[in-house]
Amino acid sequence: MVAAAGIPMNDIPFLTIGGGMGSFVTVDYLRIYGVPTSQMRVISNIDHPWQTYEFLTRCSQIPRPERIRSDSSSRPDNLWGFPSYALEEAWKEKKVGYLWHILTEPIINDYWTPRAGTVFQCLEREAKRINYWDMLVKGQVRMVRRRVGGGYFTVVTPPEGASPTKRVVFRSRFVHLAVGYPGLKFLPDLQEFRQRHGDYQHVVNAYEPHEQVYEFLKTRPGTVVIRGGGIVASRVLQRLFDDRERLNLQTQIVHIFRTFVSGSHGPNAWSRRKGGDGWAYQGFNYPKSVWGGQLKAEMRKLDGEARAKKYKAMGGTNTPYRRRWQEQMQAGREGGYYHAVQGTVERVEPSPDGRMTSYVRSKDGTIRQPVSDYIIDCTGLEADIAEHRVFADLLEYGGAFRNPIGRLEVERHFEVKGTASGDGALYASGSATLGGYFPGVDTFLGLQVAAQEIADDLARRGFCRKMGPLRSTSQWFKWARNSTV
Amino acid sequence: MVPTLFGRLQTRLFLLATVGLIVTLLIVPILPGTEGPLGDLYLSAILVLAMVAVLGLVWELLYHFLMQFRWEKDWPTLFGLLTLIPEGLLLFFLLRSGAVGFIDPAPPAAAFWTHFLVVWMCVWLVANGPMRVPFIRWRFRGGRVL
Ligand SMILES: Cc1cc2nc3c(=O)[nH]c(=O)nc-3n(C[C@H](O)[C@H](O)[C@H](O)COP(=O)(O)OP(=O)(O)OC[C@H]3O[C@@H](n4cnc5c(N)ncnc54)[C@H](O)[C@@H]3O)c2cc1C
């Protein structure tokens, strides 16, 4: 029927959709397991896998020289995680200090984390090594549908002029979805302000380009309201403090926490997280053992309500405790230019002098009305998965359903539950699958955990051979020598 | 690697039986202050290694318990290194006091500490990186080898 309609059909056994970090680490695994490029395609609207990640990190104040959040052995370009980034940077920059740092983290030092630039350079090297670009097909995926004879059809809109038809279709036994964030969601009161006043300049989300804020503050003293208590808020604060120091600015900062953490918190001595001055402190977005230790093992056994409860117990917005940030905030409090308060913002309105007033109500009943030049939303709320067309379609027609926290329910091996088709399988990884048997999904290491589960499942189904110690070792040497897989 | 209880136990036994054994075989002939037939020296060194493994199973239980007080349920790299102090001291005193009857005579202090420290360092280094090269699933399973 598709062929009859004149739509070109491509037969490819394995398709990964998204072409970001999740797709990359998955094809990296499979290439190293021995799958040739001719058996796989990556369908994406971006040119290189780190593009969306780089855009988001740059906006949220992590340019290439700055250090990211995840640790030394979360290496998306190296599935073994060895040598870790710390060894690599120590070697390249001839800095033994990094080794001392990594040895003593997180006890007498902060976690050592790699520079964004290091991550991108290494990714580029690995992408070349596995011939990533031979597999990339540019296009926007519209839907993935089960095929009567087993496997799936994937409908793609190619870029303008790239194909004689408006649609192309792929027929494949396996499909992997790694489409990243379904979309960004603004805080409702800020969204309302933006729409009502048509002002997209002064109320910004930290994930969108907002350099104008910092530029304005260089020209005259101003006040910025920050909303949110996660790592993005920490980054934005650091940028404001750095600029203030470097350029002798007079910037005033009002920081509003909806949940103000004033100390260690948790039900008992076995589950108490550090916190203070508004923040909950944690090295990574989940406790470290979710990527391989005790919490990973525990969560893997849980379903339904029990799983949701566990997520709640270890969840919550948090940021790493970094000594530099602590010093800057301390200086800000002492200098009277950094004010952190607990509160819920009821509404934002233009003030008579052309700035903005936030109406903030604290739990103790105090009402504050800070007036500011800019408001930076650092809450980074993620939109519902159904905002993404492909997920909406799968939920409606594909048999997929939601997990206990409302995202896509997947198996322990990341097959999307309810979507099996003949001898084919549909997998998903990344943020859309948060709430499953494995919580660390939306991180490099989590994507690798998922990729390994998927590759091993594909091996069970005969698509490739499971990689054992011998092949793994010989492949590692190839990685080390940068020779093709 | 962030360990689970079974992962800890398995990793300890596995690494002592591989890395620990190889290092022992290499180092025994050059241990300081030892005398007697090489065969006896090997026997005594291997028994010491076995003691590190057996006592280690109990130590690991303790570490696992202590780890429960950590929010992240992790075990920093540095802990894996520093635990050599209590473990080494305990074993040393047990040997000195003659409590381990089947290791007789106990190795001289210099030989014991050289052997113990070199094995410990090698095992620790391998556990913090190279182990992941052949065993790609190990770190995601809390250190379980099986
Ligand atoms: C500011 C920030 C900092 C972070 N820092 C870290 C960190 O330090 N360490 C860490 O481990 N993780 C970090 N993360 C998380 C990490 O970015 C994600 O885990 C990872 O990038 C997600 O990969 P992904 O493949 O799911 O999504 P992405 O990398 O976003 O890729 C998905 C791609 O799919 C494309 N796409 C979507 N729909 C379609 C469609 N219909 N057709 C074709 N293509 C489509 C999108 O354009 C997108 O490029 C950070 C995230 C953010 C936002």
Side-chain angles (χ1 to χ4, degrees), chain A residues 201-223:
Chain A
Q201 282 297 306
H202 296 95
V203 172
V204 295
N205 186 293
Y207 287 118
E208 53 182 15
H210 61 278
E211 211 38 46
Q212 78 270 14
V213 178
Y214 310 107
E215 288 304 319
F216 170 89
L217 294 169
K218 288 179 192 166
T219 62
R220 46 165 283 203
T223 301

Side-chain angles (χ1 to χ4, degrees), chain A residues 81 270 282 288 292 456 472, chain B residues 68 71-73 132-133 137 142:
Chain A
W270 293 279
Q282 190 169 284
K288 194 156 194 232
D456 285 350
S472 178
Chain B
Q68 301 313 308
W71 161 255
E72 312 237 359
K73 307 289 178 273
R132 305 199 288 259
V133 171
R137 297 170 190 89

Side-chain angles (χ1 to χ4, degrees), chain A residues 18 20-22 44-46 52-53 56-57 60 68-70 139-141 178-181 207 388 430 442-444 447:
Chain A
M21 298 302 297
S44 176
N45 53 18
I46 53 175
T52 300
Y53 176 71
L56 291 172
T57 45
S60 60
I68 65 168
R69 184 173 196 178
S70 56
Q140 184 79 27
V141 172
V179 292
Y181 306 105
Y207 287 118
H388 197 285
D442 188 30
T443 59
F444 300 155
L447 291 167

